[in-house]
Amino acid sequence: MSLGELLDGDATGIAAAIARRDVTPTEVVAAAIDRIAERNPALNAVIAERAEAAMADAAAVVPGAAPLAGVPFVVKDLGAKVAGSPSTGGSRLFAIDAAPADTELVARYRRAGLVILGMTNTPELGLSASTEPVLHGPTRNPHDRRRSPGGSSGGTAAAVASGMVPVGHASDGGGSIRIPASACGLVGLKPTRGRTPTYPIPGALSAPLSVNHALARSVRDSALLLDVAAGPVPGDPTMAPPPSRPFLDEASAAPGRLRIAVSSARPDGTPVHPDCAAAVRDLADLLASLGHEVSEAAPEIPLDGSMTALAIGMAAPLASKVDARLEELGRGLADDDLEPFTRVMYDVGKGLTGVDVVRALDAVEQVAQAVGPFFARYDLLLTATLAEPAPELGVLDTTKPEVMYARAGDFSAMTSIYNITGQPAISLPTGRDTTGVPIGTQLATAFGGEALLLRIAAQIEQARPWPTRPAWPTTL
């Protein structure tokens, strides 16, 4: 197998080849660095490279000594920091030359043997479902460069989908793993609230909504990376129920006969785009053919409570974070520090009271209590991941707050509910729109139920494998 063919596979396969000593870690990492040099200029996925440091890290790898020893990896420039690499969050205000230390999640990735090649693009502070920050410029979807790769983990999605790396770090506060997974044809699992650490980045209010994990091409890679990343740090504000066995074992276990609810509507009852609805129907038919009990149903979601939880849950931490940064810099807020939409959200956050914040936390609990009983009657809910196919770049323009207010909700309508409830949900690349760009379908389950999601996802992957070849002509 050539290096190019190896990089076109998944991380588990690359690690196995390195462990067998079919190829060295330095050869694999050098080939991935070459791919970034070749493909990134057209996509703008990786915004800070660490090629020299990565080669040094690769030279120190002992093949087979860790589960992912020698596998190339990228880290999203938000929610995690890599010692010695720039950290910006996609924002001019937060840009620093180099992070002083790894966050806990990155330290766990390193202990698993992953070799970090660089940081990936993100919209400013993760506030958009499209990756088009003013600071770094837009990231392009490798399946159609006129279109968005989604957000906020769009840089990682484009890097993985184009074959620069087989897997990469991502985070999800309203759909930011699942949205780019849908747009770029990847596996995107949002874990249960509290499953993975944010330490030392504080998350007392944002943690109820946001969680870290990864974007991958295969279910087994997503499962293995969750094994690597999962587990609390003392002092974490939330903790997920511990798994009964490794998540990777779940990806090879039979799911049993499941009760699966299916809905082609948004939470407000309006239909999703016909291409997205067709992807849902197609997967529902497949699941029925696999012996599952499939029926039309959807939970009643308290929309007012959901909007309260999301709006305040985003604005209040943002205002606190900006004020802390300004205090660190010893100055006030300048006109060009924040993009216009971020500035509007900051102003909203500054106007909130303590009572408003308690209201938002109450809403998080109330929405979860309303939705939770549905998952006692059904094991899974199948929906579209996105209510519409991946948009063209510019549709979600953060320099125009009125555009964001009018359109942003359309691109997180199907995903954000599980950030509020804390439940796990996974986007699988089972569909295509009429132009051939990927469309994801989403499966959600009860709190703590990643094991079930991985079992059913692996069954779907085996029954109808999706394209895993990178969306790029292979030249290596």
Side-chain angles (χ1 to χ4, degrees):
M1 180 184 294
S2 70
L3 271 174
E5 290 170 329
L6 188 63
L7 283 177
D8 286 349
D10 67 0
T12 306
I14 293 171
I18 291 172
R20 291 191 305 266
R21 301 184 185 269
D22 295 344
V23 65
T24 68
T26 53
E27 288 172 333
V28 172
V29 169
I33 289 169
D34 287 346
R35 281 204 169 177
I36 292 174
E38 174 198 20
R39 302 176 186 191
N40 194 57
L43 300 178
N44 193 35
V46 179
I47 47 85
E49 299 177 31
R50 57 187 307 274
E52 186 175 340
M55 288 301 295
D57 291 343
V61 168
V62 177
L68 290 163
V71 173
F73 193 71
V74 289
V75 174
K76 178 181 177 181
D77 187 21
L78 183 68
K81 295 182 180 181
V82 176
S85 291
S87 177
T88 72
S91 174
R92 291 162 290 185
L93 178 61
F94 287 87
I96 62 172
D97 290 335
D102 291 340
T103 50
E104 172 62 20
L105 186 66
V106 170
R108 293 181 184 187
Y109 289 147
R110 288 192 195 270
R111 288 197 292 270
L114 291 164
V115 178
I116 300 168
L117 272 62
M119 311 297 293
T120 58
N121 205 7
T122 182
E124 184 169 53
L125 303 177
L127 293 179
S128 175
S130 183
T131 303
E132 306 177 49
V134 171
L135 177 62
H136 299 300
T139 296
R140 300 182 179 276
N141 190 319
H143 293 273
D144 181 345
R145 296 178 202 173
R146 299 166 299 178
R147 292 165 76 170
S148 170
S152 64
S153 306
T156 292
V160 174
S162 66
M164 297 183 206
V165 290
V167 286
H169 162 255
S171 60
D172 192 317
S176 292
I177 289 175
R178 291 157 290 156
I179 292 168
S182 178
C184 291
L186 301 170
V187 175
L189 170 64
K190 183 203 84 71
T192 296
R193 175 181 298 147
R195 179 67 70 196
T196 57
T198 62
Y199 180 84
I201 301 171
L205 181 55
S206 59
L209 301 182
S210 187
V211 63
N212 286 289
H213 186 36
L215 284 157
R217 295 190 203 130
S218 69
V219 174
R220 67 179 185 175
D221 275 5
S222 187
L224 179 53
L225 278 163
L226 193 56
D227 283 326
V228 164
V233 171
D236 278 355
T238 54
M239 295 183 189
S244 60
R245 60 179 174 174
F247 290 112
L248 184 59
D249 290 350
E250 303 293 355
S252 59
R257 188 171 189 266
L258 303 175
R259 301 162 299 167
I260 303 176
V262 179
S263 175
S264 295
R266 305 169 196 242
D268 65 2
T270 58
V272 299
H273 188 279
D275 290 350
C276 301
V280 171
R281 288 194 302 270
D282 183 58
L283 183 53
D285 290 344
L286 174 63
L287 291 166
S289 75
L290 293 171
H292 300 292
E293 180 185 330
V294 178
S295 56
E296 290 281 339
E300 292 187 15
I301 297 172
L303 296 179
D304 289 345
S306 299
M307 290 302 297
T308 296
L310 282 172
I312 297 176
M314 291 173 66
L318 171 66
S320 174
K321 185 174 183 177
V322 169
D323 282 352
R325 176 62 171 160
L326 293 173
E327 184 177 341
E328 178 186 346
L329 295 173
R331 63 174 177 82
L333 189 64
D335 289 342
D336 63 350
D337 277 337
L338 300 173
E339 296 174 17
F341 178 67
T342 309
R343 178 57 191 264
V344 168
M345 292 295 291
Y346 168 75
D347 290 340
V348 169
K350 289 288 285 183
L352 295 172
T353 66
V355 172
D356 292 324
V357 173
V358 171
R359 229 172 83 235
L361 292 173
D362 287 346
V364 167
E365 289 188 30
Q366 290 161 359
V367 172
Q369 290 163 357
V371 173
F374 181 85
F375 290 92
R377 300 192 300 274
Y378 297 94
D379 299 304
L380 297 167
L381 173 62
L382 167 63
T383 67
T385 305
L386 282 167
E388 302 180 21
E392 291 190 359
L393 290 167
V395 168
L396 294 176
D397 186 350
T398 55
T399 67
K400 299 176 180 177
E402 68 280 5
V403 169
M404 291 295 293
Y405 274 113
R407 297 175 178 170
D410 289 337
F411 296 98
S412 60
M414 316 301 295
T415 55
S416 59
I417 183 62
Y418 302 113
N419 297 90
I420 299 168
T421 66
Q423 295 168 238
I426 192 168
S427 180
L428 299 175
T430 61
R432 298 266 169 168
D433 69 13
T434 54
T435 70
V437 172
I439 286 179
T441 43
Q442 178 177 247
L443 289 158
T445 193
F447 195 91
E450 291 97 325
L452 181 58
L453 289 181
L454 290 165
R455 287 187 222 126
I456 190 67
Q459 185 185 48
I460 294 166
E461 183 181 36
Q462 183 176 16
R464 190 177 296 170
W466 44 77
T468 56
R469 181 180 175 85
W472 199 277
T474 301
T475 59
L476 289 173

mmCIF file of all heavy atoms in Angstrom, residues 27-72:
data_model
loop_
_atom_site.group_PDB
_atom_site.id
_atom_site.type_symbol
_atom_site.label_atom_id
_atom_site.label_comp_id
_atom_site.label_asym_id
_atom_site.label_seq_id
_atom_site.Cartn_x
_atom_site.Cartn_y
_atom_site.Cartn_z
ATOM 1 N N GLU A 27 7.590 8.935 8.163
ATOM 2 C CA GLU A 27 7.126 8.862 6.771
ATOM 3 C C GLU A 27 5.664 9.290 6.667
ATOM 4 O O GLU A 27 5.290 10.051 5.763
ATOM 5 C CB GLU A 27 7.295 7.444 6.234
ATOM 6 C CG GLU A 27 8.738 7.044 5.962
ATOM 7 C CD GLU A 27 8.892 5.575 5.618
ATOM 8 O OE1 GLU A 27 8.049 4.759 6.059
ATOM 9 O OE2 GLU A 27 9.851 5.234 4.893
ATOM 10 N N VAL A 28 4.843 8.824 7.590
ATOM 11 C CA VAL A 28 3.421 9.166 7.561
ATOM 12 C C VAL A 28 3.222 10.655 7.818
ATOM 13 O O VAL A 28 2.475 11.330 7.104
ATOM 14 C CB VAL A 28 2.650 8.324 8.602
ATOM 15 C CG1 VAL A 28 1.204 8.810 8.711
ATOM 16 C CG2 VAL A 28 2.682 6.853 8.219
ATOM 17 N N VAL A 29 3.881 11.172 8.823
ATOM 18 C CA VAL A 29 3.714 12.587 9.166
ATOM 19 C C VAL A 29 4.258 13.479 8.052
ATOM 20 O O VAL A 29 3.637 14.496 7.692
ATOM 21 C CB VAL A 29 4.385 12.891 10.518
ATOM 22 C CG1 VAL A 29 4.459 14.393 10.767
ATOM 23 C CG2 VAL A 29 3.617 12.204 11.649
ATOM 24 N N ALA A 30 5.387 13.114 7.460
ATOM 25 C CA ALA A 30 5.926 13.903 6.342
ATOM 26 C C ALA A 30 4.960 13.917 5.168
ATOM 27 O O ALA A 30 4.775 14.961 4.509
ATOM 28 C CB ALA A 30 7.277 13.337 5.910
ATOM 29 N N ALA A 31 4.314 12.779 4.903
ATOM 30 C CA ALA A 31 3.343 12.719 3.807
ATOM 31 C C ALA A 31 2.130 13.594 4.106
ATOM 32 O O ALA A 31 1.593 14.264 3.205
ATOM 33 C CB ALA A 31 2.910 11.277 3.571
ATOM 34 N N ALA A 32 1.691 13.615 5.363
ATOM 35 C CA ALA A 32 0.563 14.463 5.735
ATOM 36 C C ALA A 32 0.934 15.947 5.640
ATOM 37 O O ALA A 32 0.123 16.776 5.214
ATOM 38 C CB ALA A 32 0.096 14.116 7.144
ATOM 39 N N ILE A 33 2.152 16.279 6.020
ATOM 40 C CA ILE A 33 2.618 17.664 5.884
ATOM 41 C C ILE A 33 2.631 18.073 4.417
ATOM 42 O O ILE A 33 2.234 19.187 4.052
ATOM 43 C CB ILE A 33 4.011 17.818 6.522
ATOM 44 C CG1 ILE A 33 3.899 17.721 8.049
ATOM 45 C CG2 ILE A 33 4.655 19.144 6.119
ATOM 46 C CD1 ILE A 33 5.233 17.605 8.753
ATOM 47 N N ASP A 34 3.058 17.169 3.543
ATOM 48 C CA ASP A 34 3.037 17.452 2.108
ATOM 49 C C ASP A 34 1.604 17.681 1.622
ATOM 50 O O ASP A 34 1.365 18.549 0.770
ATOM 51 C CB ASP A 34 3.656 16.288 1.331
ATOM 52 C CG ASP A 34 5.167 16.215 1.465
ATOM 53 O OD1 ASP A 34 5.774 17.207 1.931
ATOM 54 O OD2 ASP A 34 5.745 15.169 1.118
ATOM 55 N N ARG A 35 0.663 16.905 2.151
ATOM 56 C CA ARG A 35 -0.726 17.090 1.741
ATOM 57 C C ARG A 35 -1.272 18.443 2.186
ATOM 58 O O ARG A 35 -2.020 19.089 1.454
ATOM 59 C CB ARG A 35 -1.595 15.959 2.309
ATOM 60 C CG ARG A 35 -1.477 14.678 1.507
ATOM 61 C CD ARG A 35 -2.690 13.820 1.683
ATOM 62 N NE ARG A 35 -2.672 12.734 0.714
ATOM 63 C CZ ARG A 35 -3.581 11.787 0.663
ATOM 64 N NH1 ARG A 35 -4.587 11.787 1.527
ATOM 65 N NH2 ARG A 35 -3.510 10.840 -0.251
ATOM 66 N N ILE A 36 -0.916 18.868 3.379
ATOM 67 C CA ILE A 36 -1.343 20.189 3.834
ATOM 68 C C ILE A 36 -0.775 21.266 2.909
ATOM 69 O O ILE A 36 -1.484 22.196 2.503
ATOM 70 C CB ILE A 36 -0.917 20.427 5.289
ATOM 71 C CG1 ILE A 36 -1.709 19.504 6.231
ATOM 72 C CG2 ILE A 36 -1.132 21.893 5.690
ATOM 73 C CD1 ILE A 36 -1.262 19.545 7.673
ATOM 74 N N ALA A 37 0.501 21.135 2.558
ATOM 75 C CA ALA A 37 1.119 22.112 1.656
ATOM 76 C C ALA A 37 0.423 22.127 0.303
ATOM 77 O O ALA A 37 0.276 23.185 -0.318
ATOM 78 C CB ALA A 37 2.611 21.784 1.491
ATOM 79 N N GLU A 38 -0.011 20.964 -0.162
ATOM 80 C CA GLU A 38 -0.639 20.859 -1.473
ATOM 81 C C GLU A 38 -2.088 21.342 -1.465
ATOM 82 O O GLU A 38 -2.522 22.053 -2.383
ATOM 83 C CB GLU A 38 -0.610 19.388 -1.917
ATOM 84 C CG GLU A 38 -1.379 19.122 -3.214
ATOM 85 C CD GLU A 38 -1.696 17.649 -3.402
ATOM 86 O OE1 GLU A 38 -1.678 16.884 -2.426
ATOM 87 O OE2 GLU A 38 -1.979 17.276 -4.552
ATOM 88 N N ARG A 39 -2.839 20.985 -0.427
ATOM 89 C CA ARG A 39 -4.291 21.160 -0.466
ATOM 90 C C ARG A 39 -4.812 22.347 0.339
ATOM 91 O O ARG A 39 -5.863 22.897 0.028
ATOM 92 C CB ARG A 39 -4.953 19.855 0.020
ATOM 93 C CG ARG A 39 -4.528 18.683 -0.843
ATOM 94 C CD ARG A 39 -5.068 17.347 -0.380
ATOM 95 N NE ARG A 39 -4.483 16.282 -1.212
ATOM 96 C CZ ARG A 39 -4.871 15.040 -1.237
ATOM 97 N NH1 ARG A 39 -5.863 14.646 -0.453
ATOM 98 N NH2 ARG A 39 -4.282 14.161 -2.029
ATOM 99 N N ASN A 40 -4.071 22.733 1.371
ATOM 100 C CA ASN A 40 -4.580 23.798 2.228
ATOM 101 C C ASN A 40 -4.720 25.152 1.530
ATOM 102 O O ASN A 40 -5.656 25.898 1.840
ATOM 103 C CB ASN A 40 -3.692 23.936 3.466
ATOM 104 C CG ASN A 40 -4.354 24.775 4.534
ATOM 105 O OD1 ASN A 40 -5.454 24.480 4.983
ATOM 106 N ND2 ASN A 40 -3.689 25.851 4.938
ATOM 107 N N PRO A 41 -3.815 25.530 0.610
ATOM 108 C CA PRO A 41 -3.987 26.849 -0.019
ATOM 109 C C PRO A 41 -5.355 27.043 -0.666
ATOM 110 O O PRO A 41 -5.879 28.158 -0.679
ATOM 111 C CB PRO A 41 -2.860 26.889 -1.051
ATOM 112 C CG PRO A 41 -1.787 26.032 -0.467
ATOM 113 C CD PRO A 41 -2.529 24.899 0.194
ATOM 114 N N ALA A 42 -5.938 25.992 -1.214
ATOM 115 C CA ALA A 42 -7.242 26.121 -1.860
ATOM 116 C C ALA A 42 -8.393 26.075 -0.874
ATOM 117 O O ALA A 42 -9.503 26.539 -1.189
ATOM 118 C CB ALA A 42 -7.425 24.994 -2.885
ATOM 119 N N LEU A 43 -8.156 25.543 0.333
ATOM 120 C CA LEU A 43 -9.248 25.334 1.281
ATOM 121 C C LEU A 43 -9.175 26.222 2.516
ATOM 122 O O LEU A 43 -10.197 26.517 3.123
ATOM 123 C CB LEU A 43 -9.274 23.865 1.728
ATOM 124 C CG LEU A 43 -9.469 22.821 0.628
ATOM 125 C CD1 LEU A 43 -9.420 21.420 1.222
ATOM 126 C CD2 LEU A 43 -10.782 23.048 -0.115
ATOM 127 N N ASN A 44 -7.977 26.611 2.919
ATOM 128 C CA ASN A 44 -7.790 27.450 4.110
ATOM 129 C C ASN A 44 -8.361 26.765 5.352
ATOM 130 O O ASN A 44 -9.079 27.362 6.149
ATOM 131 C CB ASN A 44 -8.426 28.826 3.931
ATOM 132 C CG ASN A 44 -7.998 29.820 5.007
ATOM 133 O OD1 ASN A 44 -6.863 29.793 5.469
ATOM 134 N ND2 ASN A 44 -8.919 30.681 5.402
ATOM 135 N N ALA A 45 -8.018 25.505 5.523
ATOM 136 C CA ALA A 45 -8.493 24.743 6.681
ATOM 137 C C ALA A 45 -7.541 24.868 7.867
ATOM 138 O O ALA A 45 -7.978 25.032 9.010
ATOM 139 C CB ALA A 45 -8.643 23.271 6.306
ATOM 140 N N VAL A 46 -6.237 24.772 7.598
ATOM 141 C CA VAL A 46 -5.210 24.844 8.642
ATOM 142 C C VAL A 46 -4.657 26.260 8.663
ATOM 143 O O VAL A 46 -4.132 26.735 7.663
ATOM 144 C CB VAL A 46 -4.083 23.833 8.383
ATOM 145 C CG1 VAL A 46 -3.012 23.922 9.465
ATOM 146 C CG2 VAL A 46 -4.652 22.416 8.313
ATOM 147 N N ILE A 47 -4.797 26.933 9.810
ATOM 148 C CA ILE A 47 -4.401 28.357 9.862
ATOM 149 C C ILE A 47 -3.085 28.559 10.611
ATOM 150 O O ILE A 47 -2.562 29.674 10.633
ATOM 151 C CB ILE A 47 -5.528 29.246 10.440
ATOM 152 C CG1 ILE A 47 -6.129 28.663 11.731
ATOM 153 C CG2 ILE A 47 -6.627 29.408 9.403
ATOM 154 C CD1 ILE A 47 -5.393 28.998 12.974
ATOM 155 N N ALA A 48 -2.552 27.511 11.214
ATOM 156 C CA ALA A 48 -1.244 27.589 11.867
ATOM 157 C C ALA A 48 -0.622 26.207 11.823
ATOM 158 O O ALA A 48 -1.130 25.270 12.433
ATOM 159 C CB ALA A 48 -1.379 28.067 13.309
ATOM 160 N N GLU A 49 0.470 26.073 11.085
ATOM 161 C CA GLU A 49 1.132 24.775 10.946
ATOM 162 C C GLU A 49 2.285 24.649 11.943
ATOM 163 O O GLU A 49 2.842 25.638 12.399
ATOM 164 C CB GLU A 49 1.652 24.614 9.514
ATOM 165 C CG GLU A 49 0.557 24.646 8.454
ATOM 166 C CD GLU A 49 1.099 24.559 7.044
ATOM 167 O OE1 GLU A 49 2.152 23.912 6.870
ATOM 168 O OE2 GLU A 49 0.482 25.124 6.130
ATOM 169 N N ARG A 50 2.609 23.412 12.276
ATOM 170 C CA ARG A 50 3.755 23.141 13.164
ATOM 171 C C ARG A 50 4.545 21.971 12.580
ATOM 172 O O ARG A 50 4.802 20.955 13.255
ATOM 173 C CB ARG A 50 3.306 22.899 14.601
ATOM 174 C CG ARG A 50 2.327 21.786 14.813
ATOM 175 C CD ARG A 50 1.796 21.715 16.254
ATOM 176 N NE ARG A 50 2.797 21.667 17.284
ATOM 177 C CZ ARG A 50 3.388 20.563 17.728
ATOM 178 N NH1 ARG A 50 3.106 19.387 17.165
ATOM 179 N NH2 ARG A 50 4.266 20.622 18.705
ATOM 180 N N ALA A 51 4.944 22.119 11.311
ATOM 181 C CA ALA A 51 5.586 21.026 10.586
ATOM 182 C C ALA A 51 6.884 20.573 11.257
ATOM 183 O O ALA A 51 7.116 19.369 11.437
ATOM 184 C CB ALA A 51 5.850 21.455 9.145
ATOM 185 N N GLU A 52 7.738 21.507 11.609
ATOM 186 C CA GLU A 52 9.022 21.140 12.204
ATOM 187 C C GLU A 52 8.820 20.431 13.539
ATOM 188 O O GLU A 52 9.436 19.388 13.818
ATOM 189 C CB GLU A 52 9.886 22.388 12.394
ATOM 190 C CG GLU A 52 11.292 22.094 12.883
ATOM 191 C CD GLU A 52 12.171 23.338 12.957
ATOM 192 O OE1 GLU A 52 11.843 24.343 12.305
ATOM 193 O OE2 GLU A 52 13.187 23.285 13.678
ATOM 194 N N ALA A 53 7.934 20.981 14.371
ATOM 195 C CA ALA A 53 7.667 20.363 15.669
ATOM 196 C C ALA A 53 7.019 18.993 15.493
ATOM 197 O O ALA A 53 7.303 18.055 16.239
ATOM 198 C CB ALA A 53 6.768 21.275 16.503
ATOM 199 N N ALA A 54 6.148 18.866 14.493
ATOM 200 C CA ALA A 54 5.474 17.592 14.249
ATOM 201 C C ALA A 54 6.470 16.520 13.829
ATOM 202 O O ALA A 54 6.374 15.357 14.248
ATOM 203 C CB ALA A 54 4.392 17.766 13.184
ATOM 204 N N MET A 55 7.439 16.883 12.999
ATOM 205 C CA MET A 55 8.448 15.903 12.587
ATOM 206 C C MET A 55 9.297 15.463 13.778
ATOM 207 O O MET A 55 9.658 14.278 13.893
ATOM 208 C CB MET A 55 9.327 16.487 11.481
ATOM 209 C CG MET A 55 8.625 16.603 10.139
ATOM 210 S SD MET A 55 8.013 15.016 9.499
ATOM 211 C CE MET A 55 9.548 14.124 9.245
ATOM 212 N N ALA A 56 9.594 16.397 14.676
ATOM 213 C CA ALA A 56 10.331 16.030 15.885
ATOM 214 C C ALA A 56 9.488 15.104 16.767
ATOM 215 O O ALA A 56 10.007 14.120 17.327
ATOM 216 C CB ALA A 56 10.734 17.283 16.653
ATOM 217 N N ASP A 57 8.206 15.410 16.882
ATOM 218 C CA ASP A 57 7.318 14.547 17.665
ATOM 219 C C ASP A 57 7.233 13.154 17.041
ATOM 220 O O ASP A 57 7.245 12.134 17.746
ATOM 221 C CB ASP A 57 5.911 15.156 17.738
ATOM 222 C CG ASP A 57 5.848 16.421 18.573
ATOM 223 O OD1 ASP A 57 6.792 16.670 19.349
ATOM 224 O OD2 ASP A 57 4.850 17.162 18.441
ATOM 225 N N ALA A 58 7.127 13.105 15.706
ATOM 226 C CA ALA A 58 7.025 11.819 15.017
ATOM 227 C C ALA A 58 8.276 10.985 15.223
ATOM 228 O O ALA A 58 8.208 9.751 15.375
ATOM 229 C CB ALA A 58 6.780 12.041 13.529
ATOM 230 N N ALA A 59 9.430 11.627 15.231
ATOM 231 C CA ALA A 59 10.689 10.895 15.411
ATOM 232 C C ALA A 59 10.775 10.239 16.782
ATOM 233 O O ALA A 59 11.497 9.252 16.963
ATOM 234 C CB ALA A 59 11.868 11.839 15.207
ATOM 235 N N ALA A 60 10.028 10.780 17.756
ATOM 236 C CA ALA A 60 10.058 10.237 19.117
ATOM 237 C C ALA A 60 9.004 9.155 19.348
ATOM 238 O O ALA A 60 8.977 8.542 20.418
ATOM 239 C CB ALA A 60 9.865 11.368 20.123
ATOM 240 N N VAL A 61 8.143 8.912 18.361
ATOM 241 C CA VAL A 61 7.068 7.929 18.520
ATOM 242 C C VAL A 61 7.628 6.508 18.508
ATOM 243 O O VAL A 61 8.472 6.165 17.667
ATOM 244 C CB VAL A 61 6.023 8.090 17.396
ATOM 245 C CG1 VAL A 61 5.065 6.889 17.370
ATOM 246 C CG2 VAL A 61 5.236 9.380 17.574
ATOM 247 N N VAL A 62 7.157 5.705 19.437
ATOM 248 C CA VAL A 62 7.485 4.278 19.454
ATOM 249 C C VAL A 62 6.315 3.531 18.823
ATOM 250 O O VAL A 62 5.212 3.530 19.366
ATOM 251 C CB VAL A 62 7.725 3.771 20.884
ATOM 252 C CG1 VAL A 62 8.000 2.267 20.880
ATOM 253 C CG2 VAL A 62 8.864 4.534 21.546
ATOM 254 N N PRO A 63 6.488 2.925 17.657
ATOM 255 C CA PRO A 63 5.375 2.252 16.984
ATOM 256 C C PRO A 63 4.677 1.241 17.887
ATOM 257 O O PRO A 63 5.329 0.422 18.547
ATOM 258 C CB PRO A 63 6.051 1.562 15.796
ATOM 259 C CG PRO A 63 7.242 2.406 15.500
ATOM 260 C CD PRO A 63 7.730 2.858 16.854
ATOM 261 N N GLY A 64 3.346 1.348 17.946
ATOM 262 C CA GLY A 64 2.560 0.411 18.723
ATOM 263 C C GLY A 64 2.521 0.674 20.208
ATOM 264 O O GLY A 64 1.825 -0.035 20.947
ATOM 265 N N ALA A 65 3.227 1.687 20.689
ATOM 266 C CA ALA A 65 3.291 1.942 22.132
ATOM 267 C C ALA A 65 2.035 2.623 22.670
ATOM 268 O O ALA A 65 1.810 2.631 23.883
ATOM 269 C CB ALA A 65 4.517 2.790 22.454
ATOM 270 N N ALA A 66 1.243 3.183 21.791
ATOM 271 C CA ALA A 66 -0.005 3.851 22.172
ATOM 272 C C ALA A 66 -1.024 3.554 21.075
ATOM 273 O O ALA A 66 -0.658 3.192 19.952
ATOM 274 C CB ALA A 66 0.219 5.353 22.324
ATOM 275 N N PRO A 67 -2.318 3.692 21.377
ATOM 276 C CA PRO A 67 -3.332 3.243 20.411
ATOM 277 C C PRO A 67 -3.314 3.962 19.069
ATOM 278 O O PRO A 67 -3.722 3.398 18.058
ATOM 279 C CB PRO A 67 -4.652 3.484 21.151
ATOM 280 C CG PRO A 67 -4.333 4.401 22.272
ATOM 281 C CD PRO A 67 -2.922 4.135 22.639
ATOM 282 N N LEU A 68 -2.828 5.204 19.048
ATOM 283 C CA LEU A 68 -2.806 5.971 17.803
ATOM 284 C C LEU A 68 -1.396 6.498 17.523
ATOM 285 O O LEU A 68 -1.222 7.575 16.952
ATOM 286 C CB LEU A 68 -3.818 7.116 17.868
ATOM 287 C CG LEU A 68 -5.289 6.662 17.831
ATOM 288 C CD1 LEU A 68 -6.222 7.765 18.308
ATOM 289 C CD2 LEU A 68 -5.679 6.210 16.429
ATOM 290 N N ALA A 69 -0.406 5.710 17.889
ATOM 291 C CA ALA A 69 0.987 6.151 17.772
ATOM 292 C C ALA A 69 1.349 6.492 16.336
ATOM 293 O O ALA A 69 1.256 5.662 15.440
ATOM 294 C CB ALA A 69 1.922 5.063 18.295
ATOM 295 N N GLY A 70 1.742 7.763 16.128
ATOM 296 C CA GLY A 70 2.225 8.210 14.828
ATOM 297 C C GLY A 70 1.168 8.738 13.885
ATOM 298 O O GLY A 70 1.492 9.138 12.764
ATOM 299 N N VAL A 71 -0.089 8.773 14.311
ATOM 300 C CA VAL A 71 -1.180 9.214 13.418
ATOM 301 C C VAL A 71 -1.221 10.739 13.354
ATOM 302 O O VAL A 71 -1.257 11.410 14.385
ATOM 303 C CB VAL A 71 -2.532 8.665 13.898
ATOM 304 C CG1 VAL A 71 -3.676 9.258 13.082
ATOM 305 C CG2 VAL A 71 -2.551 7.141 13.812
ATOM 306 N N PRO A 72 -1.248 11.333 12.144
ATOM 307 C CA PRO A 72 -1.335 12.792 12.010
ATOM 308 C C PRO A 72 -2.689 13.305 12.482
ATOM 309 O O PRO A 72 -3.734 12.663 12.271
ATOM 310 C CB PRO A 72 -1.158 13.023 10.504
ATOM 311 C CG PRO A 72 -0.573 11.762 9.969
ATOM 312 C CD PRO A 72 -1.091 10.672 10.840
#
